[in-house]
Amino acid sequence: MEPDDLLGELRDAEQAWLDASARHDRRAMAVILGDGFTATLPDGSVLTREGMIAGLNRLPLREVKTPVPFTQKRSIRMFDSMAILHGIYVVPGGEGRPERRSRYTDTWVRSRNRCRIVASHRSNATG
């Protein structure tokens, strides 16, 4: 796969992950999360692939209203079939909720002909 094609696939995969999370779409999430996936959240808790999907199982699938969560200041470093994405994850405020921002570092691997996220780390961010 050409580097530019992989870069485009990574961008699409990241957006699919943002969309699946916002929509509580456990089926899409099951495809996106790689085997052995772990996420470290801003409070220090850790979620496994199974834990994340189980959490979505308790939530109703929903339509996402605009504005939707997005990333900014993203950088992508590629290493053969692996990539590390780093930036700021923004959940816009609305309806009395404040905007939430966190810094993220995500590790993606191209496996079985698609990009899958295998690790995610978020910490609270300001600015």
Side-chain angles (χ1 to χ4, degrees):
M1 177 172 255
E2 294 297 316
D4 286 345
D5 294 337
L6 182 55
L7 192 59
E9 186 176 331
L10 278 166
R11 288 181 180 137
D12 292 346
E14 181 185 48
Q15 188 60 53
W17 190 37
L18 292 171
D19 293 344
S21 180
R23 293 181 43 235
H24 304 159
D25 189 340
R26 59 194 161 273
R27 287 190 180 143
M29 193 66 74
V31 172
I32 295 162
L33 300 179
D35 295 336
F37 169 85
T38 58
T40 304
L41 304 178
D43 66 2
S45 63
V46 177
L47 272 177
T48 63
R49 179 183 194 279
E50 294 76 17
M52 183 168 278
I53 293 169
L56 293 176
N57 283 336
R58 293 188 295 270
L59 299 171
L61 188 63
R62 67 180 181 179
E63 292 297 319
V64 177
K65 299 176 184 172
T66 56
V68 297
F70 60 93
T71 61
Q72 59 183 201
K73 298 183 181 179
R74 175 182 56 203
S75 66
I76 300 174
R77 292 181 295 159
M78 295 173 37
F79 308 90
D80 296 322
S81 62
M82 182 185 80
I84 298 173
L85 281 65
H86 179 79
I88 297 176
Y89 172 68
V90 181
V91 178
E95 300 176 12
R97 292 171 309 195
E99 177 180 271
R100 293 181 314 191
R101 301 169 67 80
S102 56
R103 295 195 184 281
Y104 73 94
T105 302
D106 294 340
T107 303
W108 291 79
V109 174
R110 190 156 199 289
S111 170
R112 294 177 285 201
N113 297 318
R114 71 178 320 125
C115 288
R116 298 173 195 281
I117 188 166
V118 294
S120 179
H121 187 277
R122 288 193 345 228
S123 60
N124 293 326
T126 57

